[in-house]
């Protein structure tokens, strides 16, 4: 297997603060630079500030229909 011309580890920008982070086993929070940035990003996902664009897989009406069907299909105990 050919060796890379540059032995320096790959560096990426922290998604939260843009600080450069070495992509190596020693960077335990990669791609984040720190636990703080990792938790800030997780919080943004939890409060739905970060979203994957596109349409919802289903709306509430579809969910209600599926739940009603599941109730009809459920065996009586």
């Amino acid at each position: 297997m050919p060796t890379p011309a540059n032995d320096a580890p790959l560096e990426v920008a922290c998604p939260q603060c843009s600080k450069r982070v070495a992509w190596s086993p020693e960077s335990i929070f990669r791609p984040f630079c720190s636990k703080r940035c990792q938790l800030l990003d997780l919080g943004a996902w939890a409060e739905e500030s970060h979203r994957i664009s596109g349409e919802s897989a289903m709306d509430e009406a579809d969910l209600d229909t599926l739940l009603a069907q599941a109730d009809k299909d459920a065996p009586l105990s």
Side-chain angles (χ1 to χ4, degrees):
M1 179 171 175
T3 58
N6 184 352
D7 290 336
L10 173 69
E11 284 192 351
V12 296
C14 173
Q16 191 66 32
C17 70
S18 301
K19 180 179 174 183
R20 300 302 294 174
V21 180
W23 193 271
S24 67
E26 292 81 29
S27 302
I28 60 173
F29 301 111
R30 67 181 184 268
F32 302 98
C33 65
S34 65
K35 184 73 171 175
R36 178 184 179 276
C37 282
Q38 187 183 47
L39 290 174
L40 286 170
D41 187 74
L42 178 62
W45 281 103
E47 68 181 20
E48 297 184 1
S49 297
H50 292 326
R51 295 182 181 198
I52 297 174
S53 63
E55 292 184 31
S56 285
M58 65 175 62
D59 61 14
E60 286 187 35
D62 293 336
L63 185 57
D64 291 339
T65 303
L66 286 173
L67 289 173
Q69 184 64 39
D71 287 342
K72 284 195 265 182
D73 293 343
L76 299 174
S77 46

